[in-house]
Amino acid sequence: MTQKKKIVVALGGNAILSNDASAQAQQEALEMTSKHLVKLISPEVQLIISHGNGPQVGNLLLQQQASDSEKNPAMPLDTCVAMTQGSIGFWLQNALERELKNANLEKEVATIVTQVIVDKEDEAFKNPSKPIGPFLTHEQAQVLEKETGAVYKEDAGRGWRKVVPSPKPIAIQEQYSINTLINNDIITICAGGGGIPIERQSSRGVEAVIDKDFASEKLAEMIDADLFIILTGVDQIALNFGKENEKWLDKMTVSEAEQYMEEGHFAPGSMLPKVEAAVQYVKARPECKAVITSLEMLGNINKESVGTEIVY
């Protein structure tokens, strides 16, 4: 039996949530997402999907805080990550199953609640940096900072967002279960929202959100993925993005990417973690490549070079 090409696709949380935060709108967005994902599926490909949840977990936290009372206490952040991991996985799994049926493809899809191990001594706990929730004006953020004590920071020129600790992922708790699903030819949705962060020392949940690009990279390493695709809102990476001397990149080596990062070409909280994760993956698997591109380009990825390829 020929070994299948294992492809990890990391979906962004903002690709799931538009201006309409209703369940119906997010499900409709995932219907469109699934149409693109199914284009990757063939007898030679095994698909593994991760996804973000930044906007969703932020909105859920606001709902929890709004209804917080002695009899109905708000859930902690790690539990909110688990809740959004479950809801997005549920929507995506159902959408994929319908699209597979429409394409006359007989494939099973499974979502696994995924815990990701972090170190409580990670410096990230002293410096909250991961944006979650909706974009706000500076004035709105200042009011919420005074009311809740949370930290808000400006995010890539698009507004202010709440920030929480974002420790680096060390390992994935459900490694064996995920590999079992993959080895049985099941499309696997896992590491949603960066995974539920659990402390290495105690295996208990912690108040943090893991960056989904880093968790997806850890997943790609763990399963020996042959291709790591990170989806974003543009078809390619650009140097001097949005400026007159903007330059789109078809390919860059690890050393070039590291140089560009050092020069400050990629925005923190936006493109920077995607490039960092891609570089980390290629360093771990130098015979493979990572691709950063848009959802709309997925259908061409097995036919031609699309997006920006990161190679060793």
Side-chain angles (χ1 to χ4, degrees):
M1 182 178 176
T2 305
Q3 188 172 3
K4 292 193 173 190
K5 180 180 182 181
K6 289 184 278 192
I7 300 178
V8 171
V9 176
L11 297 172
N14 289 304
I16 304 162
L17 178 63
S18 62
N19 293 329
D20 184 347
S22 68
Q24 180 181 350
Q26 293 185 70
Q27 287 170 303
E28 288 172 357
L30 285 168
E31 293 281 354
M32 294 303 300
T33 296
S34 296
K35 292 180 187 297
H36 292 289
L37 288 170
V38 165
K39 294 174 185 177
L40 284 177
I41 296 171
S42 72
E44 295 79 33
V45 168
Q46 179 65 37
L47 183 60
I48 304 95
I49 305 164
S50 64
H51 60 80
N53 73 340
Q56 292 83 0
V57 77
N59 287 345
L60 180 57
L61 280 169
L62 291 176
Q63 293 168 5
Q64 293 287 320
Q65 290 165 1
S67 61
D68 185 33
S69 68
E70 186 177 344
K71 291 185 178 181
N72 184 30
M75 292 295 104
L77 179 54
D78 58 331
T79 301
C80 289
V81 172
M83 292 164 73
T84 53
Q85 189 182 103
S87 60
I88 295 171
F90 161 60
W91 293 335
L92 178 55
Q93 181 175 331
N94 282 350
L96 272 171
E97 287 170 343
R98 286 191 290 271
E99 197 56 40
L100 287 165
K101 186 176 181 181
N102 291 340
N104 293 315
L105 293 169
E106 292 187 7
K107 295 279 289 184
E108 286 192 38
V109 186
T111 303
I112 183 164
V113 174
T114 312
Q115 302 172 97
V116 174
I117 300 168
V118 300
D119 188 342
K120 195 63 184 295
E121 300 304 315
D122 192 307
E123 287 296 312
F125 287 102
K126 300 176 184 177
N127 181 33
S129 62
K130 176 65 177 173
I132 62 172
F135 289 94
L136 306 171
T137 65
H138 192 195
E139 292 73 22
Q140 290 171 320
Q142 286 179 317
V143 170
L144 286 171
E145 277 188 338
K146 291 179 181 177
E147 290 180 351
T148 67
V151 179
Y152 287 79
K153 291 183 180 178
E154 196 271 337
D155 181 9
R158 294 177 289 175
W160 290 71
R161 296 174 78 187
K162 179 177 178 178
V163 290
V164 297
S166 183
K168 288 292 194 296
I170 296 171
I172 294 177
Q173 184 86 333
E174 289 74 23
Q175 176 173 347
Y176 177 81
S177 300
I178 291 169
N179 273 316
T180 299
L181 290 171
I182 292 168
N183 292 337
N184 282 278
D185 198 27
I186 295 170
I187 297 172
T188 306
I189 302 167
C190 55
I196 305 158
I198 61 170
E199 187 181 353
R200 178 173 60 180
Q201 292 84 347
S202 66
S203 294
R204 293 183 182 275
V206 293
E207 288 279 298
V209 169
I210 301 167
D211 188 284
K212 72 101 171 89
D213 295 314
F214 291 130
S216 301
E217 189 283 326
K218 189 61 66 176
L219 169 69
E221 268 192 63
M222 181 196 81
I223 65 169
D224 294 327
D226 301 290
L227 177 62
F228 178 34
I229 304 171
I230 302 176
L231 298 183
T232 186
V234 291
D235 293 346
Q236 291 181 312
I237 294 173
L239 301 180
N240 305 307
F241 182 69
K243 300 177 181 178
E244 288 185 5
N245 58 342
E246 181 178 79
K247 179 184 178 183
W248 297 97
L249 301 174
D250 296 323
K251 181 181 289 189
M252 60 181 174
T253 64
V254 165
S255 60
E256 288 171 337
E258 290 176 333
Q259 178 186 335
Y260 297 147
M261 285 190 284
E262 191 174 331
E263 292 171 354
H265 281 284
F266 311 124
S270 180
M271 190 59 76
L272 181 60
K274 293 172 174 55
V275 176
E276 289 177 328
V279 166
Q280 189 172 322
Y281 168 73
V282 174
K283 280 185 171 181
R285 291 182 61 75
E287 72 279 11
C288 301
K289 68 180 179 181
V291 177
I292 299 176
T293 191
S294 65
L295 178 67
E296 291 74 20
M297 299 301 291
L298 269 186
N300 299 323
I301 214 155
N302 286 323
K303 306 170 191 173
E304 57 185 282
S305 293
V306 302
T308 301
E309 297 182 357
I310 296 88
V311 297
Y312 194 76

